[in-house]
Amino acid sequence: MRKLMRQLFGFTKDENFMHAIENVEVLVSKVLSIFMVAVILVAIIDLGIFIVKEVFTVPYGKINTTLFKVFGLFLNILIALEILENITAYLKRHVFQVELVIVTSLIAVARKIIILDLEKVQGIDIIGLGIAVLALSISYLIIRSSNAGNRH
């Protein structure tokens, strides 16, 4: 009983507790990276099937709409790769890299803009996307310049 009590009290010490939390974070990150690899592989297969079915069977003159769908699928894979890079960077350094998160967000907004159907969207949506791009770009410049200042 005393041994169990000592172990419980030892676990409640700050450094032991933080070590246990870090182990959980690493385990979750590894599981997420495995799932993300699976998602990327499925997305690549989906893209391949879509290209074979749609691009090569589309009648002449209708390729533009199909190309926008293909670009959207490509960007989905790029976003997934960026998220995987975020996870692996966390596993390597145990720090979230804000620059990677902002770049991933910019790719996601760019994807939204590329696949946007201008006939179905209101002006306020376009303004919102423009503000998002501007805010993310400014954030990226600030983070990039502060990281460059830290390197010198």
Side-chain angles (χ1 to χ4, degrees), residues 34-52:
I34 291 169
F35 286 159
M36 189 54 68
V37 167
V39 166
I40 291 169
L41 292 175
V42 168
I44 290 171
I45 292 168
D46 187 42
L47 174 64
I49 291 170
F50 183 82
I51 287 174
V52 169

Side-chain angles (χ1 to χ4, degrees), residues 5-18:
M5 292 301 279
R6 266 188 272 146
Q7 284 179 342
L8 283 176
F9 285 121
F11 183 72
T12 58
K13 289 182 184 176
D14 288 346
E15 56 196 49
N16 292 343
F17 182 75
M18 290 309 294

Side-chain angles (χ1 to χ4, degrees), residues 9-118:
F9 285 121
F11 183 72
T12 58
K13 289 182 184 176
D14 288 346
E15 56 196 49
N16 292 343
F17 182 75
M18 290 309 294
H19 183 66
I21 294 296
E22 286 175 12
N23 287 340
V24 169
E25 287 176 350
V26 167
L27 178 65
V28 168
S29 297
K30 288 178 180 179
V31 169
L32 285 175
S33 61
I34 291 169
F35 286 159
M36 189 54 68
V37 167
V39 166
I40 291 169
L41 292 175
V42 168
I44 290 171
I45 292 168
D46 187 42
L47 174 64
I49 291 170
F50 183 82
I51 287 174
V52 169
K53 278 180 155 179
E54 297 291 326
V55 173
F56 296 121
T57 61
V58 147
Y60 183 76
K62 301 282 186 180
I63 193 75
N64 284 342
T65 24
T66 304
L67 280 179
F68 284 120
K69 290 178 186 174
V70 168
F71 293 157
L73 292 172
F74 266 100
L75 288 172
N76 282 345
I77 295 170
L78 284 177
I79 291 167
L81 284 172
E82 287 292 328
I83 292 171
L84 180 61
E85 188 175 343
N86 287 334
I87 295 169
T88 55
Y90 176 78
L91 283 170
K92 291 176 188 172
R93 298 181 190 94
H94 296 286
V95 175
F96 284 107
Q97 293 186 337
V98 178
E99 188 175 336
L100 281 176
V101 173
I102 292 172
V103 168
T104 305
S105 302
L106 271 169
I107 293 171
V109 174
R111 178 200 173 279
K112 182 69 175 171
I113 291 169
I114 288 171
I115 65 167
L116 198 64
D117 187 357
L118 293 176

